Amino acid sequence: MGRITILSPKEIQAMRQACRIAADTLVMIGPHIRAGISTEEINTLVHEYTLAQDAIPAPLNYKGFPKSVCTSVNEVVCHGIPGPRVLQDGDIVNIDVTPIYPRRNGFHGDSSVTYYVGEPSPLARHVVEVAREALEIGIQQVRPGGFIGDIGAAIQAFAEAKGCSVVREYTGHGIGRIFHSEPSVPHYGLRGQGMRMRKGMAFTIEPMINLGRFEIDHLDDGWTVLTRDRSLSAQFEHTIVVTDEGCEVLTRRPARVVNSEDKPYARLGPLACWQPGS
Ligand code: MF3
Ligand code: CO
Ligand code: CO
């Protein structure tokens, strides 16, 4: 974690370009999320698409991470390594992309979506939709003069009221020319704690929401994080910058993604917590 940086308007414009590529990548991958695709194939699609946008996938070789994207299936919380695992109907999979643009000395756009493979179970749908709304509730807290702690407090209150839990060990982070910098943005905690937000600060909000308890385990591959109780976990991530009015969500997608947000929310059933216009 380096020191925090306040981005100039010119730097924010460059961040918009990097973040647009991240958003476009998540839209691009949606139709590919079907039973039978392997996470390795997802990695290849993301890798080649990123290069075709004249960007570089930041995860590749980052602290030794061996692939260009994180693919986290079911009980995997984050940092899943693409490989031979084949997605099956009923799985949920988070895809976390981070293009660097321009290629040299460029800016990072960091964003993720949890997708449905086929039809989810009611509990899978619950944890995914709680994670989706938790991110939006966190974003609503962002304003100059507010506290970083306000974000996590709002997310935690919401997620726990929905019977879910919030992962503690991994947080949002400052972002810019550096992938992970200060501030650390916890997704739990207390209002009024932590750093004050300032115009031009760029950071991610990326709540990891578990259906069961919040504790995690690590696999001995050095990366994969999974729920200790092996319950399902879901995550969504946006990169934002603080503005005079509140914030600009730099990784907003130009279209709904297939196999996640295009679900007809009205049909979600009793566990749903998000309705259009609510
Ligand atoms: N994109 C992840 C994040 O949101 C970080 C992945 S690091 C990697 O911070 F090395 F696993 F790719
Ligand atoms: Co991130
Ligand atoms: Co990410």
Side-chain angles (χ1 to χ4, degrees):
M1 292 277 182
R3 51 189 289 272
I4 72 148
T5 45
I6 299 294
L7 299 178
S8 69
K10 213 173 142 184
E11 290 172 318
I12 292 170
Q13 187 51 37
M15 278 292 281
R16 285 190 189 102
Q17 294 178 285
C19 288
R20 175 61 191 256
I21 295 168
D24 288 345
T25 308
L26 294 171
V27 173
M28 176 280 294
I29 208 74
H32 295 281
I33 306 306
R34 306 174 65 105
I37 194 171
S38 68
T39 53
E40 176 75 52
E41 289 170 312
I42 293 169
N43 180 74
T44 301
L45 289 165
V46 168
H47 182 85
E48 289 178 354
Y49 183 86
T50 307
L51 297 186
Q53 309 307 306
D54 283 325
I56 290 196
L60 186 59
N61 301 321
Y62 176 79
K63 298 185 178 178
F65 191 78
K67 296 288 179 176
S68 298
V69 60
C70 297
T71 53
S72 302
V73 182
N74 294 345
E75 70 285 355
V76 176
V77 170
C78 63
H79 300 170
I81 304 172
R85 181 171 185 162
V86 172
L87 298 181
Q88 298 187 19
D89 267 326
D91 284 346
I92 58 174
V93 58
N94 176 274
I95 299 186
D96 190 341
V97 301
T98 315
I100 306 172
Y101 185 86
R103 298 167 70 101
R104 291 170 62 81
N105 197 24
F107 289 84
H108 292 72
D110 193 2
S111 189
S112 81
V113 163
T114 300
Y115 299 83
Y116 297 121
V117 184
E119 274 300 305
S121 70
L123 287 173
R125 183 169 270 166
H126 182 65
V127 70
V128 171
E129 298 309 317
V130 169
R132 191 196 312 279
E133 193 173 6
L135 171 56
E136 296 302 320
I137 284 168
I139 289 169
Q140 286 167 14
Q141 299 299 316
V142 179
R143 59 176 180 86
F147 292 87
I148 289 290
D150 301 348
I151 299 167
I155 289 172
Q156 183 180 15
F158 170 74
E160 292 180 356
K162 293 291 181 183
C164 296
S165 65
V166 178
V167 170
R168 306 292 202 258
E169 287 87 348
Y170 295 87
T171 66
H173 49 90
I175 185 165
R177 282 201 176 83
I178 295 170
F179 194 169
H180 295 103
S181 63
E182 286 191 56
S184 172
V185 183
H187 305 109
Y188 66 96
L190 299 173
R191 295 199 77 80
Q193 287 202 334
M195 190 180 288
R196 268 191 201 273
M197 295 180 259
R198 283 172 56 192
K199 181 181 173 182
M201 277 175 65
F203 55 84
T204 71
I205 305 175
E206 49 181 296
M208 284 141 274
I209 304 296
N210 297 349
L211 198 50
R213 295 180 57 86
F214 64 77
E215 291 88 349
I216 55 158
D217 275 341
H218 293 91
L219 290 188
D220 59 15
D221 62 15
W223 283 100
T224 308
V225 180
L226 66 170
T227 54
R228 185 158 293 172
D229 63 11
R230 303 301 190 261
S231 66
L232 293 174
S233 186
Q235 180 179 28
F236 289 81
E237 175 175 28
H238 276 306
T239 297
I240 65 102
V241 63
V242 182
T243 63
D244 282 323
E245 294 77 36
C247 75
E248 179 178 339
V249 181
L250 299 168
T251 44
R252 278 277 183 238
R253 292 174 285 281
R256 288 190 143 197
V257 294
V258 176
N259 289 319
S260 188
E261 289 153 315
D262 66 338
K263 286 289 164 186
Y265 290 98
R267 287 203 294 111
L268 283 183
L271 287 173
C273 57
W274 196 91
Q275 299 287 325
S278 70

